[in-house]
Amino acid sequence: MNKSSKRQGKPRRQPVFPILAERFLPYLLKMKNWLRWGAATIIIFLLVMAGTLIYLRTQSLPVAAISQTSQMVDLQGNVIDTFHAGENRRSVQLSDISHHVIEATIAIEDRRFYDHRGFDMKGMARAVMVNVQSFSARQGASTLTQQLARNLYLTHERTWQRKIKEAMYTVQLEMRYSKDEILGMYLNQIYYGHGSYGIEAAAMMYFNKHASELSLAESAMLAGIPKGPKYYSPYLNMKNAKDRQLTILQAMLEGGSITAEQADAAYAEVLHFQSLGSGEQEGFAPYFRDYIRYVAVDKLGINEQLLNEGGITIYTTLDPTAQSKAEEVLAEGIPESSEQQAALIAIDPRNGYIKAMVGGRDYKKNQYNRVFAKTRQPGSSFKPILYLTALQSGFMTPVSRFKSEPTVFTYDEGRKNYEPHNYGDKYLNELIGMRQAIASSDNIYAVNTIMTVGADKVIETAKKLGIDSPMKPVPSLALGTFPISPFEMASAFGTFANGGIHVEPIAILRIEDRKGQILYEAERKSEQSLTSAEAYVMTSLMESVFEEGGTAFRVSSIIKRPVAGKTGTTPTDAWLVGYTPELATAVWVGYDKDRKLTVAEAYRAAPIFAKFIEGALAAVPPKMFPIPEGVVNVYIDPTSGKLAEGSCPNRKLESFLAGTEPTEVCGEPASAEDSGETKDGAKAAGRRSWWSDLKRWWTD
């Protein structure tokens, strides 16, 4: 065998790790391909990003959205208010703004403002973690630049298109302007409430200072308002404003811009706010205008920026004649030197339109709207709701009698006693009927009534009439001891005026955008809460309040038209709630701090009511309350409560729900010639009653 044959026969050398090489080689080849694709993708992404940035740099930013004045009009189409668009925006240089404002704004809105390029990735991650942990959108992550882009160029609609545009404009702002320029633009356009845009306008409105003069405490207070002007305005809610101020001071402390001593001193500092008395705050129906803003934003969901800058028109139910008269009679009804407060609300019972609203005597000094205050006891003005329940129960009629005398009532299965008193401890010490009890406001009769029909039933009736304030089923409920707002009282009494149909009050008829397209239109919400017959009988009973012997008789000569209502007096509150067929009105007078009223101060509610009703309806012909089906008018003897025949010495016409009129008779029947009655005596009596009433209204 030669050498070549020997070499050929020698075994070949095996490769190292043959098994591993064979197993992983395909994967290594695939990974190599993935790396190539990944690198290509990254390169393409970088090229796209670079191209996008180059494109954005070459593009001009859009013209900032030009704000348009929104307006509010009354029922006759007159403009009663305009919302600030740009006229109250005062731009200043960043160097002319207090460094406390700058530090406070950055601390609470975007503490990494000078460290990011428009988007705070750490802030976004932190917000996502907080929101995931709380399962809600508790924390946002918009930077100042993003907010500026949105406020300048976009709406606040929540769509992907808007978010993409916002990101693009944010990048462009960061490219074109320095951080100081962006911050300056932000502080000059942000909304600080009450029509003030920009820190300079806000500083002048709240403190009558320039932005450069603001202290740490003032700056922290103002920096908290843009998050929610209706919640954090010190004029509207001082507690919320102070809580927000504390949050900002703590953020500044954590950021190192102030010391703990400075934070404590700033929070303890007593701030001296300027009274709201300029621009939209002056003039006509300020409490109503505030209410309209509240309804539009909080109830109807109208965006505040749209309200202030979008050129919308809000059509309201305000009657300028009624509103002017309301403001006039409240101003004249209480001496200028007095600290006593007052509120008036007037609603058209037929459609629920709020025609007039005055929430206090001086809006500049105090913007609290007492029309909606659920802190005042209605006193005896609540009694018609009690007596309506009594009529509905079938246990009582207008001639049901109780003795007016000092009485101790036992309730809660004999475990508790209740001893009410009449005003001035005056009692008739005889049996009286429901009409006399309402006219003279007898408390003993009222408590006897609630003990007869049940307090739970009275609460049910109140809720059907639109009263939502909490009440407890106790005997004192009969005397109006549980607070109810004037707004609720006027709405409830409007049900009597409207034949038993309760119409939910409304203040905004419709809202149109700048192009005339309807954004909102009110729908009439009504419910038959009681029968028309029950409403009329209660109206008839309440008319006695303005007749001789009634608690409002002294102002009856002022009113030249049919009117029904009820007075109410507590140690700290005085009311007159009443109505005509066209207008239901509640008037309250008292002190904000529950100071007791003198007799003279308590008497001011009735004249205010009377003068308002007559003045507001001066151009409206007097109308009778129509008698519906289901009502029977018969003569009764008020002493005994029996039907009064011709020979009965004391006869008086009374209204009853059909089937509940008395059957016992007082006296002997008279001939038709002697009595002057027709066979249908009730109808004839009703006609004569109308005529006699009409003559009284004409001659008084």
Side-chain angles (χ1 to χ4, degrees):
M1 185 179 294
N2 56 29
K3 293 181 179 180
S4 61
S5 62
K6 291 181 179 179
R7 287 196 298 270
Q8 291 175 357
K10 188 176 180 179
R12 297 178 62 185
R13 187 174 181 179
Q14 295 293 325
V16 181
F17 307 113
I19 298 176
L20 293 176
E22 292 177 3
R23 179 177 298 178
F24 289 100
L25 182 60
Y27 295 99
L28 292 173
L29 293 175
K30 288 183 179 180
M31 184 178 294
K32 185 176 181 181
N33 290 333
W34 289 345
L35 291 172
R36 288 175 179 173
W37 280 108
T41 301
I42 292 173
I43 292 172
I44 292 173
F45 175 78
L46 293 175
L47 289 173
V48 170
M49 289 297 296
T52 301
L53 293 174
I54 293 172
Y55 171 79
L56 291 176
R57 180 175 288 276
T58 60
Q59 296 300 306
S60 299
L61 281 164
V63 178
I66 300 175
S67 58
Q68 292 189 21
T69 300
S70 296
Q71 60 184 8
M72 181 192 305
V73 299
D74 63 25
L75 199 55
Q76 296 180 5
N78 304 310
V79 176
I80 57 177
D81 193 14
T82 57
F83 300 103
H84 282 294
E87 59 269 28
N88 196 28
R89 193 191 308 272
R90 308 177 189 180
S91 297
V92 292
Q93 297 294 322
L94 189 65
S95 58
D96 293 326
I97 299 175
S98 169
H99 69 94
H100 294 307
V101 173
I102 296 171
E103 291 163 355
T105 301
I106 291 176
I108 197 63
E109 296 290 347
D110 188 0
R111 64 177 60 188
R112 288 173 42 80
F113 173 71
Y114 281 100
D115 298 325
H116 61 68
R117 298 299 299 173
F119 303 94
D120 185 2
M121 299 305 176
K122 291 184 179 180
M124 290 181 183
R126 181 174 61 253
V128 169
M129 291 298 295
V130 171
N131 295 337
V132 168
Q133 291 174 359
S134 63
F135 296 100
S136 64
R138 293 181 58 186
Q139 193 172 109
S142 292
T143 64
L144 291 182
T145 314
Q146 288 174 278
Q147 294 180 49
L148 180 63
R150 182 166 59 245
N151 292 338
L152 285 179
Y153 310 120
L154 301 167
T155 66
H156 288 254
E157 61 181 349
R158 296 182 178 182
T159 63
W160 285 108
Q161 292 88 340
R162 196 271 293 165
K163 291 180 180 295
I164 292 172
K165 289 182 179 180
E166 178 183 305
M168 293 172 58
Y169 296 148
T170 298
V171 172
Q172 287 181 279
L173 284 171
E174 289 281 343
M175 285 180 174
R176 293 181 177 275
Y177 301 102
S178 68
K179 286 290 187 180
D180 285 348
E181 289 174 326
I182 292 173
L183 182 59
M185 286 189 288
Y186 176 88
L187 290 173
N188 276 308
Q189 66 83 37
I190 198 68
Y191 181 56
Y192 286 90
H194 303 285
S196 294
Y197 290 81
I199 188 61
E200 177 71 7
M204 294 299 296
M205 187 191 71
Y206 285 96
F207 301 111
N208 197 27
K209 290 183 176 181
H210 292 291
S212 60
E213 301 169 336
L214 293 171
S215 68
L216 172 60
E218 294 164 342
S219 298
M221 176 64 70
L222 293 182
I225 296 174
K227 179 178 176 62
K230 61 181 177 293
Y231 297 113
Y232 298 114
S233 165
Y235 292 126
L236 301 179
N237 194 316
M238 181 57 76
K239 182 182 183 303
N240 287 354
K242 288 295 290 184
D243 289 345
R244 181 71 173 161
Q245 181 196 43
L246 180 60
T247 299
I248 292 172
L249 291 171
Q250 290 173 339
M252 295 177 73
L253 177 61
E254 292 171 3
S257 59
I258 60 173
T259 64
E261 291 76 17
Q262 288 176 309
D264 292 340
Y267 183 73
E269 182 179 329
V270 177
L271 300 180
H272 300 286
F273 296 97
Q274 185 177 225
S275 297
L276 281 176
S278 59
E280 69 178 39
Q281 305 305 328
E282 287 186 0
F284 194 58
Y287 292 98
F288 181 80
R289 298 197 320 254
D290 278 358
Y291 177 64
I292 291 296
R293 180 185 282 273
Y294 161 74
V295 172
V297 175
D298 286 35
K299 294 293 186 69
L300 305 181
I302 300 298
N303 184 275
E304 277 205 79
Q305 185 176 14
L306 178 64
L307 180 66
N308 292 306
E309 302 181 9
I312 66 174
T313 301
I314 302 177
Y315 295 87
T316 76
T317 62
L318 191 74
D319 182 335
T321 301
Q323 180 66 28
S324 296
K325 196 64 183 180
E327 294 181 1
E328 176 188 325
V329 297
L330 254 70
E332 296 175 350
I334 300 176
E336 188 175 350
S337 59
S338 174
E339 295 181 2
Q340 188 177 12
Q341 278 293 346
L344 184 153
I345 172 73
I347 301 171
D348 188 330
R350 300 164 296 183
N351 50 30
Y353 289 6
I354 297 175
K355 293 293 193 72
M357 179 188 294
V358 183
R361 292 181 58 210
D362 192 334
Y363 182 85
K364 292 181 182 179
K365 292 182 179 178
N366 192 319
Q367 294 80 50
Y368 179 57
N369 193 341
R370 296 156 190 83
V371 163
F372 299 99
K374 294 187 176 184
T375 56
R376 318 306 307 206
Q377 295 180 358
S380 293
S381 65
F382 182 78
K383 289 177 182 175
I385 298 170
L386 163 68
Y387 295 132
L388 169 63
T389 309
L391 295 179
Q392 293 174 327
S393 71
F395 297 135
M396 295 178 62
T397 72
V399 294
S400 296
R401 299 188 297 162
F402 294 110
K403 191 171 184 179
S404 174
E405 63 180 356
T407 308
V408 177
F409 295 89
T410 301
Y411 67 104
D412 194 16
E413 298 181 351
R415 291 189 289 266
K416 296 179 181 179
N417 294 329
Y418 179 56
E419 186 176 4
H421 297 274
N422 279 349
Y423 184 75
D425 281 329
K426 295 179 180 179
Y427 306 90
L428 294 176
N429 292 306
E430 61 183 32
L431 292 171
I432 62 173
M434 190 179 292
R435 182 175 293 276
Q436 188 172 2
I438 289 179
S440 63
S441 202
D442 192 276
N443 289 340
I444 306 302
Y445 190 100
V447 178
N448 269 304
T449 300
I450 201 170
M451 299 296 286
T452 301
V453 302
D456 287 321
K457 295 293 185 182
V458 177
I459 294 174
E460 289 179 14
T461 301
K463 292 188 180 300
K464 289 179 181 178
L465 297 179
I467 295 177
D468 297 323
S469 293
M471 292 170 278
K472 295 181 180 179
V474 294
S476 64
L477 173 65
L479 308 186
T481 55
F482 292 94
I484 300 175
S485 70
F487 179 81
E488 291 173 291
M489 292 297 291
S491 176
F493 274 54
T495 312
F496 297 125
N498 195 36
I501 300 174
H502 177 257
V503 182
E504 186 175 315
I506 59 173
I508 297 177
L509 295 175
R510 70 182 186 278
I511 301 176
E512 295 180 358
D513 66 13
R514 66 179 68 177
K515 297 179 181 178
Q517 295 179 336
I518 296 177
L519 303 178
Y520 164 80
E521 190 163 16
E523 295 181 5
R524 186 175 185 266
K525 297 179 181 179
S526 61
E527 181 181 359
Q528 187 82 43
S529 299
L530 58 147
T531 67
S532 56
E534 291 165 347
Y536 177 80
V537 171
M538 283 306 308
T539 295
S540 174
L541 291 170
M542 282 190 277
E543 285 182 299
S544 298
V545 172
F546 295 89
E547 296 173 356
E548 188 171 359
T551 53
F553 176 67
R554 59 195 173 86
V555 299
S556 61
S557 61
I558 300 175
I559 306 174
K560 308 297 184 182
R561 61 187 64 241
V563 63
K566 185 70 187 75
T567 58
T569 306
T570 75
T572 58
D573 306 280
W575 299 68
L576 204 163
V577 187
Y579 54 92
T580 66
E582 309 88 358
L583 207 59
T585 303
V587 174
W588 166 86
V589 297
Y591 287 93
D592 287 337
K593 297 182 179 180
D594 287 337
R595 173 175 153 186
K596 289 188 176 182
L597 298 176
T598 66
V599 173
E601 290 171 338
Y603 278 179
R604 289 170 180 162
I608 290 173
F609 172 89
K611 293 176 181 177
F612 168 74
I613 286 290
E614 197 58 32
L617 299 176
V620 179
K623 293 184 179 68
M624 304 290 292
F625 292 105
I627 302 178
E629 293 291 331
V631 173
V632 175
N633 291 309
V634 296
Y635 279 108
I636 57 101
D637 171 24
T639 303
S640 64
K642 299 178 181 180
L643 283 174
E645 292 293 358
S647 63
C648 189
N650 187 14
R651 304 172 71 225
K652 188 170 184 180
L653 192 68
E654 186 59 86
S655 299
F656 294 87
L657 299 177
T660 68
E661 64 271 21
T663 55
E664 292 187 70
V665 178
C666 164
E668 296 296 329
S671 65
E673 294 180 0
D674 293 336
S675 65
E677 293 184 16
T678 66
K679 292 180 180 180
D680 190 351
K683 292 183 179 179
R687 285 196 294 271
R688 286 198 306 278
S689 175
W690 284 20
W691 176 247
S692 62
D693 285 343
L694 187 59
K695 287 193 295 183
R696 177 177 65 83
W697 294 319
W698 180 263
T699 57
D700 279 351

